[in-house]
Amino acid sequence: MKQFISNLTLSRKFTLIGVLVLAMVAMPVWLVIRTAVATLSVARAEVAGIEPSGDMLTLIKLTQQHRGQSAMVLAGNDSIQAARQAKKSEVELAMSRAQQSVAGLAEPGLDERLAAIRREWQAVADAIGGKSITGPQSFARHTALIAKQLALLDDIVDSSTLAFDSEAGTHHMVSSVLDHLPRLNESLGQMRGVGATLLTRGEIMPEDRARITTTGATAQQHLDSARAAFDKAMDAEPAWRQALGGPVASAVAAAEAVLKLTDEQIVRAETPSLASADYFATMTKAIDTQLDLTATAFKV
């Protein structure tokens, strides 16, 4: 081998050295490129999941609001019938937008489930419009529909790999915004619907107090989990605290305030005196504060 190398011209010796160097660096370079391509692929998948996730959150929010308004209408409060009909149109528009953005994920199973959700929604809305359904039936069917919407949101997050982000800050942010906050809002939404119905009726039975107490406890658990996840996200990414610190504090305060209001005015009140429309509006404002936090977190 030494003799062979010695007999090479100077230019061929340099060529040989170049080949050897190339062979040495080729594998590390290939590994770096492969990692970069994989990272880019994951990032693109995560970005693709943002829009449909946001559209599903909007759909869930509007369905929850329609549930509460329907509960009051079916309990005898005809003054918000026009508002319920307007909300029905909003839900249908949000449903169309969600179907369009979910289709972009190219996951036929998700499309089929959302189409089934739309059919179930239409059946419930038609029953309410024709007053062929009772208040409790409407509430139960809305709640089951929202549970399916939340499950679909979970699968969108999984399909787009948002749930598997390896960076601590982003992981905890996704956990809070796309898991804990939606479930907190659902618990608050159930309290809004049940509480508004009870206040419209003007009578609260012991089983009603037990039911709303249980829902309030669930809301508190989701609130604590959301707050903890946001704290972990901001600890991992201190620069986020400036943008998120205030909205998180406002959202927590709003949720705690309506949990206290419900406990005082419904659970513990012997004779409820709070107007159902006022309770509904206060609960809606608290839920909207959670959604404001969601919007801020999406930007971050």
Side-chain angles (χ1 to χ4, degrees), residues 7-258:
N7 291 335
L8 291 176
T9 62
L10 185 60
S11 62
R12 290 186 175 181
K13 288 180 179 178
F14 278 115
T15 300
L16 179 59
I17 293 172
V19 170
L20 292 173
V21 170
L22 180 61
M24 292 172 62
V25 301
M27 181 58 74
V29 168
W30 178 77
L31 290 173
V32 169
I33 292 174
R34 187 179 69 169
T35 300
V37 169
T39 300
L40 180 59
S41 177
V42 170
R44 284 175 173 168
E46 290 180 352
V47 169
I50 292 293
E51 183 179 0
S53 295
D55 288 341
M56 284 303 301
L57 287 174
T58 299
L59 176 60
I60 291 166
K61 173 190 75 172
L62 294 172
T63 306
Q64 290 166 334
Q65 291 175 348
H66 185 269
R67 174 181 58 192
Q69 291 176 340
S70 298
M72 287 193 289
V73 167
L74 294 172
N77 188 348
D78 291 329
S79 65
I80 63 166
Q81 181 65 268
R84 186 205 67 80
Q85 291 175 339
K87 190 63 63 179
K88 174 178 176 289
S89 298
E90 290 183 55
V91 173
E92 290 168 353
L93 179 59
M95 193 80 73
S96 296
R97 288 176 176 169
Q99 285 185 299
Q100 183 177 3
S101 61
V102 170
L105 293 174
E107 294 280 353
L110 299 179
D111 296 337
E112 293 168 5
R113 287 167 59 191
L114 188 51
I117 286 172
R118 185 165 201 162
R119 290 192 296 271
E120 292 181 37
W121 150 256
Q122 195 62 58
V124 173
D126 289 346
I128 294 168
K131 292 193 174 180
S132 60
I133 189 173
T134 66
Q137 289 172 338
S138 169
F139 189 88
R141 290 177 66 178
H142 272 94
T143 300
L145 186 62
I146 292 165
K148 291 181 179 180
Q149 293 173 347
L150 285 167
L152 182 58
L153 173 62
D154 286 342
D155 288 342
I156 289 170
V157 173
D158 289 346
S159 175
S160 63
T161 71
L162 276 166
F164 310 116
D165 196 293
S166 59
E167 294 185 10
T170 309
H171 172 78
H172 291 302
M173 183 86 83
V174 169
S175 175
S176 187
V177 174
L178 297 178
D179 184 13
H180 301 308
L181 279 182
R183 282 163 175 76
L184 167 62
N185 285 339
E186 171 55 5
S187 294
L188 294 177
Q190 289 185 25
M191 293 175 70
R192 173 177 58 189
V194 172
T197 300
L198 295 175
L199 292 170
T200 297
R201 193 174 68 191
E203 182 182 11
I204 304 177
M205 305 300 290
E207 57 269 26
D208 297 324
R209 300 180 197 277
R211 178 183 181 186
I212 206 164
T213 297
T214 300
T215 307
T218 301
Q220 185 67 59
Q221 291 175 350
H222 291 309
L223 174 60
D224 293 341
S225 296
R227 175 167 39 191
F230 271 118
D231 285 342
K232 290 177 181 178
M234 291 185 289
D235 287 343
E237 298 287 347
W240 292 355
R241 195 171 294 277
Q242 182 175 359
L244 291 172
V248 168
S250 296
V252 169
E256 289 180 337
V258 292

